[in-house]
Amino acid sequence: MDCFRSISLIATVLSPVLTNAQKQLLFRVCLAAALLSRLAMENLLVDQPYLVKRLRELRRLACSAFKEVFHVCQNRMFEADEINAFLVYIIVPQCIFHDDGSPEVPLNFLRLFLSWTSIPKLFYLLRLQVPSISGTVSHSVLSIVCSMLASKSVSKLVKEKIIDGLLSLLTLADEVMSGPVVDINLAKLPEIPGLNSGTSMVLPELPKLLVFIFDSLPVQGESRKLNTKHLEVLNR
Protein backbone atom coordinates (compact mmCIF):
# COMPACT_ATOMS: atom_id res chain seq x y z
CA MET A 1 0.00 0.00 0.00
CA ASP A 2 2.85 2.37 0.82
CA CYS A 3 4.23 1.70 -2.66
CA PHE A 4 1.17 3.20 -4.35
CA ARG A 5 1.14 6.15 -1.96
CA SER A 6 4.80 6.79 -2.78
CA ILE A 7 4.12 6.61 -6.52
CA SER A 8 1.25 9.09 -6.18
CA LEU A 9 3.44 11.41 -4.11
CA ILE A 10 6.30 11.30 -6.61
CA ALA A 11 3.94 11.96 -9.52
CA THR A 12 2.28 14.86 -7.71
CA VAL A 13 5.28 16.59 -6.17
CA LEU A 14 8.02 15.95 -8.73
CA SER A 15 5.98 16.21 -11.93
CA PRO A 16 7.57 19.54 -13.04
CA VAL A 17 11.10 18.13 -12.98
CA LEU A 18 10.65 14.53 -14.11
CA THR A 19 12.31 13.63 -17.40
CA ASN A 20 10.56 11.43 -19.96
CA ALA A 21 12.77 8.51 -18.95
CA GLN A 22 11.81 9.00 -15.30
CA LYS A 23 8.13 9.24 -16.21
CA GLN A 24 8.43 6.01 -18.15
CA LEU A 25 10.07 4.31 -15.18
CA LEU A 26 7.37 5.62 -12.84
CA PHE A 27 4.61 4.26 -15.08
CA ARG A 28 6.27 0.87 -15.39
CA VAL A 29 6.85 0.64 -11.63
CA CYS A 30 3.18 1.44 -11.07
CA LEU A 31 2.19 -1.17 -13.64
CA ALA A 32 4.36 -3.86 -12.05
CA ALA A 33 3.21 -3.00 -8.52
CA ALA A 34 -0.46 -3.11 -9.52
CA LEU A 35 -0.07 -6.47 -11.24
CA LEU A 36 1.95 -8.10 -8.45
CA SER A 37 -0.36 -6.84 -5.70
CA ARG A 38 -3.46 -8.04 -7.54
CA LEU A 39 -2.04 -11.50 -8.21
CA ALA A 40 -0.78 -11.85 -4.65
CA MET A 41 -4.08 -10.80 -3.11
CA GLU A 42 -6.10 -13.05 -5.42
CA ASN A 43 -3.98 -16.00 -4.33
CA LEU A 44 -4.49 -15.09 -0.68
CA LEU A 45 -8.24 -14.75 -1.13
CA VAL A 46 -8.51 -18.43 -2.03
CA ASP A 47 -7.65 -19.37 1.56
CA GLN A 48 -8.42 -16.10 3.33
CA PRO A 49 -11.61 -14.60 1.85
CA TYR A 50 -11.83 -12.07 4.69
CA LEU A 51 -9.05 -10.13 2.94
CA VAL A 52 -11.45 -8.89 0.26
CA LYS A 53 -11.60 -5.45 1.90
CA ARG A 54 -7.83 -5.19 1.71
CA LEU A 55 -7.95 -6.13 -1.97
CA ARG A 56 -10.46 -3.36 -2.61
CA GLU A 57 -8.25 -0.87 -0.78
CA LEU A 58 -5.25 -1.95 -2.87
CA ARG A 59 -7.32 -1.48 -6.00
CA ARG A 60 -8.33 1.99 -4.86
CA LEU A 61 -4.73 2.98 -4.17
CA ALA A 62 -3.53 1.50 -7.46
CA CYS A 63 -6.17 3.42 -9.44
CA SER A 64 -5.30 6.60 -7.57
CA ALA A 65 -1.62 6.10 -8.39
CA PHE A 66 -2.40 5.41 -12.05
CA LYS A 67 -4.52 8.56 -12.17
CA GLU A 68 -1.57 10.68 -11.03
CA VAL A 69 0.92 8.87 -13.26
CA PHE A 70 -1.22 9.21 -16.39
CA HIS A 71 -1.64 12.89 -15.61
CA VAL A 72 2.09 13.47 -15.28
CA CYS A 73 2.77 11.37 -18.40
CA GLN A 74 0.28 13.13 -20.67
CA ASN A 75 3.04 14.92 -22.57
CA ARG A 76 5.17 11.85 -23.21
CA MET A 77 4.42 9.32 -25.89
CA PHE A 78 3.50 5.99 -24.35
CA GLU A 79 4.95 2.91 -25.95
CA ALA A 80 2.61 0.27 -27.31
CA ASP A 81 3.81 -2.38 -24.87
CA GLU A 82 3.00 -0.09 -21.94
CA ILE A 83 -0.56 0.57 -23.07
CA ASN A 84 -1.15 -3.04 -24.09
CA ALA A 85 0.18 -4.31 -20.75
CA PHE A 86 -2.06 -1.88 -18.88
CA LEU A 87 -5.01 -3.09 -20.92
CA VAL A 88 -4.34 -6.83 -20.70
CA TYR A 89 -3.06 -7.14 -17.13
CA ILE A 90 -4.86 -4.31 -15.34
CA ILE A 91 -8.14 -3.48 -17.09
CA VAL A 92 -9.29 -6.77 -18.62
CA PRO A 93 -9.12 -8.87 -15.40
CA GLN A 94 -11.27 -6.27 -13.61
CA CYS A 95 -13.92 -6.00 -16.33
CA ILE A 96 -17.15 -7.87 -15.65
CA PHE A 97 -19.46 -8.95 -18.46
CA HIS A 98 -23.05 -9.58 -17.38
CA ASP A 99 -25.35 -12.19 -18.89
CA ASP A 100 -26.79 -9.62 -21.28
CA GLY A 101 -23.29 -8.80 -22.51
CA SER A 102 -23.12 -5.39 -20.83
CA PRO A 103 -19.68 -4.61 -19.38
CA GLU A 104 -18.89 -3.07 -16.01
CA VAL A 105 -15.76 -2.15 -14.06
CA PRO A 106 -15.18 -1.40 -10.36
CA LEU A 107 -15.89 2.20 -9.38
CA ASN A 108 -12.21 2.98 -8.80
CA PHE A 109 -11.47 2.09 -12.41
CA LEU A 110 -14.44 4.15 -13.52
CA ARG A 111 -13.00 7.17 -11.68
CA LEU A 112 -9.64 6.55 -13.36
CA PHE A 113 -11.27 6.44 -16.80
CA LEU A 114 -13.25 9.61 -16.07
CA SER A 115 -10.03 11.43 -15.15
CA TRP A 116 -8.95 11.01 -18.79
CA THR A 117 -11.98 12.98 -19.98
CA SER A 118 -10.44 16.19 -18.61
CA ILE A 119 -7.09 15.69 -20.38
CA PRO A 120 -7.39 16.04 -24.18
CA LYS A 121 -4.01 14.40 -24.76
CA LEU A 122 -5.35 11.26 -23.06
CA PHE A 123 -8.68 11.17 -24.89
CA TYR A 124 -7.39 8.38 -27.13
CA LEU A 125 -7.14 6.04 -24.12
CA LEU A 126 -10.93 6.09 -23.95
CA ARG A 127 -10.91 4.42 -27.36
CA LEU A 128 -8.93 1.41 -26.13
CA GLN A 129 -10.75 -1.77 -27.07
CA VAL A 130 -11.33 -4.01 -24.05
CA PRO A 131 -11.93 -7.64 -25.08
CA SER A 132 -14.23 -9.95 -23.16
CA ILE A 133 -12.75 -13.02 -21.49
CA SER A 134 -13.89 -15.12 -24.44
CA GLY A 135 -12.28 -12.64 -26.79
CA THR A 136 -15.34 -12.61 -29.04
CA VAL A 137 -16.59 -9.12 -28.13
CA SER A 138 -14.75 -5.87 -27.56
CA HIS A 139 -15.94 -2.65 -26.00
CA SER A 140 -14.10 0.63 -25.91
CA VAL A 141 -13.30 2.09 -22.50
CA LEU A 142 -15.79 4.90 -23.19
CA SER A 143 -18.45 2.37 -24.16
CA ILE A 144 -17.95 0.61 -20.82
CA VAL A 145 -18.23 3.93 -19.00
CA CYS A 146 -21.47 4.78 -20.81
CA SER A 147 -22.89 1.29 -20.23
CA MET A 148 -22.62 1.91 -16.51
CA LEU A 149 -25.26 4.64 -16.83
CA ALA A 150 -27.77 1.78 -16.97
CA SER A 151 -26.28 -0.16 -14.05
CA LYS A 152 -28.39 -0.47 -10.91
CA SER A 153 -25.23 -0.90 -8.83
CA VAL A 154 -23.95 2.56 -9.77
CA SER A 155 -25.20 5.45 -7.64
CA LYS A 156 -26.94 8.51 -9.02
CA LEU A 157 -23.98 10.64 -7.92
CA VAL A 158 -21.50 8.51 -9.88
CA LYS A 159 -23.75 8.57 -12.94
CA GLU A 160 -23.72 12.36 -12.80
CA LYS A 161 -19.92 12.18 -12.71
CA ILE A 162 -20.12 10.19 -15.94
CA ILE A 163 -22.28 12.95 -17.43
CA ASP A 164 -19.66 15.49 -16.32
CA GLY A 165 -17.00 13.45 -18.10
CA LEU A 166 -19.04 13.26 -21.29
CA LEU A 167 -19.62 17.00 -21.13
CA SER A 168 -15.86 17.51 -20.92
CA LEU A 169 -15.38 15.37 -24.02
CA LEU A 170 -18.00 17.40 -25.86
CA THR A 171 -16.46 20.70 -24.76
CA LEU A 172 -12.67 20.49 -24.66
CA ALA A 173 -10.70 21.15 -27.82
CA ASP A 174 -8.16 18.64 -29.06
CA GLU A 175 -4.50 19.05 -28.21
CA VAL A 176 -2.02 17.79 -30.77
CA MET A 177 0.27 14.97 -29.72
CA SER A 178 3.77 14.59 -31.13
CA GLY A 179 2.73 11.36 -32.82
CA PRO A 180 0.22 8.52 -32.45
CA VAL A 181 0.84 5.41 -30.38
CA VAL A 182 1.05 2.58 -32.88
CA ASP A 183 0.14 -1.08 -32.44
CA ILE A 184 -2.69 -0.54 -29.97
CA ASN A 185 -6.29 -1.46 -30.68
CA LEU A 186 -8.43 1.68 -30.72
CA ALA A 187 -12.09 2.09 -31.63
CA LYS A 188 -12.49 3.95 -34.90
CA LEU A 189 -13.86 7.48 -34.84
CA PRO A 190 -16.58 8.65 -37.22
CA GLU A 191 -15.01 11.08 -39.67
CA ILE A 192 -17.14 14.21 -39.41
CA PRO A 193 -15.44 17.50 -40.33
CA GLY A 194 -15.43 20.16 -37.65
CA LEU A 195 -15.92 17.85 -34.66
CA ASN A 196 -13.36 17.47 -31.91
CA SER A 197 -12.29 13.92 -31.12
CA GLY A 198 -14.23 13.95 -27.85
CA THR A 199 -17.52 14.63 -29.61
CA SER A 200 -16.69 12.00 -32.23
CA MET A 201 -16.18 9.47 -29.44
CA VAL A 202 -19.45 10.34 -27.71
CA LEU A 203 -21.61 10.06 -30.85
CA PRO A 204 -21.58 6.22 -31.03
CA GLU A 205 -22.63 6.14 -27.37
CA LEU A 206 -25.58 8.47 -27.94
CA PRO A 207 -28.27 5.74 -27.61
CA LYS A 208 -27.08 4.85 -24.09
CA LEU A 209 -26.86 8.51 -23.18
CA LEU A 210 -30.36 9.29 -24.47
CA VAL A 211 -31.88 6.36 -22.58
CA PHE A 212 -30.30 7.60 -19.35
CA ILE A 213 -31.42 11.20 -19.91
CA PHE A 214 -34.99 10.22 -20.79
CA ASP A 215 -35.20 7.88 -17.79
CA SER A 216 -34.04 10.79 -15.62
CA LEU A 217 -36.83 13.10 -16.76
CA PRO A 218 -39.28 14.03 -14.00
CA VAL A 219 -42.63 12.32 -14.42
CA GLN A 220 -45.89 14.19 -14.26
CA GLY A 221 -46.63 15.33 -10.74
CA GLU A 222 -43.02 15.24 -9.52
CA SER A 223 -41.55 18.42 -8.07
CA ARG A 224 -37.95 17.81 -9.15
CA LYS A 225 -36.59 19.88 -12.00
CA LEU A 226 -34.99 18.86 -15.26
CA ASN A 227 -31.23 18.44 -14.89
CA THR A 228 -29.61 21.36 -16.74
CA LYS A 229 -26.42 19.37 -17.37
CA HIS A 230 -28.46 16.85 -19.32
CA LEU A 231 -29.83 19.67 -21.46
CA GLU A 232 -26.32 21.00 -22.02
CA VAL A 233 -25.16 17.58 -23.21
CA LEU A 234 -28.06 17.41 -25.66
CA ASN A 235 -27.37 20.95 -26.88
CA ARG A 236 -23.77 20.10 -27.64
Side-chain angles (χ1 to χ4, degrees):
M1 291 186 181
D2 287 340
C3 174
F4 292 122
R5 292 191 180 98
S6 297
I7 291 172
S8 295
L9 186 62
I10 291 171
T12 303
V13 176
L14 299 181
S15 59
V17 296
L18 290 175
T19 65
N20 278 340
Q22 291 167 335
K23 291 175 183 178
Q24 181 185 57
L25 178 61
L26 189 64
F27 179 81
R28 295 193 175 208
V29 168
C30 190
L31 190 65
L35 176 59
L36 290 173
S37 62
R38 179 179 65 80
L39 292 176
M41 288 303 299
E42 285 178 352
N43 289 335
L44 283 174
L45 284 176
V46 175
D47 300 316
Q48 304 176 61
Y50 60 87
L51 291 175
V52 66
K53 288 185 178 179
R54 185 169 295 181
L55 175 61
R56 289 173 180 166
E57 177 63 8
L58 271 173
R59 187 165 59 203
R60 183 189 69 79
L61 291 171
C63 287
S64 179
F66 271 121
K67 178 181 175 181
E68 298 298 337
V69 171
F70 273 111
H71 183 271
V72 78
C73 289
Q74 63 179 287
N75 290 316
R76 70 167 285 261
M77 185 54 57
F78 285 98
E79 295 183 9
D81 66 332
E82 295 172 334
I83 298 299
N84 288 329
F86 177 73
L87 174 66
V88 172
Y89 298 115
I90 306 300
I91 297 180
V92 171
Q94 300 295 331
C95 192
I96 302 167
F97 286 86
H98 298 292
D99 293 339
D100 61 358
S102 61
E104 193 168 325
V105 292
L107 292 182
N108 290 312
F109 276 84
L110 177 61
R111 294 186 183 99
L112 170 62
F113 298 159
L114 289 176
S115 71
W116 298 342
T117 65
S118 62
I119 307 173
K121 289 183 179 179
L122 298 182
F123 279 2
Y124 74 95
L125 294 175
L126 294 164
R127 296 167 52 203
L128 280 173
Q129 294 277 49
V130 182
S132 62
I133 298 299
S134 64
T136 56
V137 180
S138 292
H139 298 266
S140 72
V141 168
L142 184 61
S143 178
I144 293 173
V145 169
C146 291
S147 292
M148 293 179 70
L149 286 169
S151 174
K152 294 181 180 179
S153 63
V154 178
S155 69
K156 181 179 178 181
L157 178 62
V158 172
K159 289 179 181 179
E160 289 304 322
K161 294 293 184 184
I162 295 176
I163 295 298
D164 289 339
L166 295 176
L167 197 53
S168 291
L169 289 174
L170 293 168
T171 304
L172 296 176
D174 294 330
E175 293 184 22
V176 179
M177 292 291 291
S178 57
V181 181
V182 296
D183 297 327
I184 60 174
N185 191 10
L186 299 178
K188 292 184 178 180
L189 291 180
E191 297 182 4
I192 303 176
L195 291 186
N196 69 327
S197 61
T199 301
S200 297
M201 283 190 285
V202 172
L203 283 178
E205 307 304 324
L206 197 55
K208 300 173 187 175
L209 185 55
L210 290 176
V211 168
F212 172 74
I213 291 176
F214 288 142
D215 286 346
S216 302
L217 292 174
V219 297
Q220 188 174 6
E222 280 190 328
S223 58
R224 62 191 176 97
K225 297 180 180 179
L226 183 64
N227 192 312
T228 55
K229 281 192 297 186
H230 296 179
L231 286 177
E232 190 173 355
V233 168
L234 292 176
N235 286 335
R236 293 189 178 276

